[in-house]
Amino acid sequence: MDFSSYPAEIQAAVHKYEDFIHSKLEPDLAQVVADRDAIYNRMSEYLKLKTHIDSIRSQQLDELETKVDLGSNFYAKAFVPDTQYIFVNVGFGFHLQMSLDEADEFIDRKAG
């Protein structure tokens, strides 16, 4: 919109608000959206783990052969000789060994 026909005070106020929007609100919004996406990604990973736990239970698997994502969609074969316990990423680079029930409860608290 062209504000050149408006008085100088109004033009200055519009310019001030536009600067505030571009310098403060837009970067803040971008950061909030990035944070939201990171939370959605973590929740998605927890829900995938819950699905895998349900599969282990429903198929009554004592051992498991699977593929593990090493990063950048590079996979390696993995063999789990005992599915009674799994390691769960609890954040900050830490993994905890949990029973399937403990992992289920942890996921419910994190994703709920």
Side-chain angles (χ1 to χ4, degrees):
M1 188 171 188
D2 183 22
F3 291 99
S4 60
S5 62
Y6 289 89
E9 312 82 51
I10 292 177
Q11 290 180 29
V14 168
H15 183 68
K16 176 181 156 186
Y17 287 122
E18 285 177 342
D19 286 346
F20 177 73
I21 289 170
H22 295 301
S23 66
K24 180 69 177 148
L25 296 181
E26 286 178 353
D28 286 353
L29 177 61
Q31 183 61 49
V32 168
V33 168
D35 292 346
R36 181 208 59 194
D37 290 346
I39 290 169
Y40 283 169
N41 287 335
R42 276 194 307 254
M43 287 180 66
S44 172
E45 289 298 315
Y46 283 129
L47 295 176
K48 279 196 278 187
L49 177 58
K50 190 169 183 68
T51 300
H52 290 301
I53 290 171
D54 292 342
S55 292
I56 290 170
R57 283 190 179 132
S58 68
Q59 296 175 22
Q60 298 177 345
L61 299 174
D62 294 329
E63 57 185 33
L64 177 67
E65 190 170 317
T66 186
K67 293 181 181 177
V68 177
D69 187 358
L70 300 176
S72 299
N73 288 328
F74 185 76
Y75 290 86
K77 284 187 179 180
F79 178 73
V80 180
D82 182 11
T83 60
Q84 184 177 1
Y85 293 97
I86 60 174
F87 285 90
V88 178
N89 181 348
V90 295
F92 299 108
F94 292 100
H95 294 78
L96 288 179
Q97 182 178 354
M98 298 181 185
S99 69
L100 297 180
D101 290 336
E102 291 170 332
D104 246 348
E105 184 179 326
F106 176 80
I107 292 167
D108 288 341
R109 278 187 276 139
K110 288 296 267 188

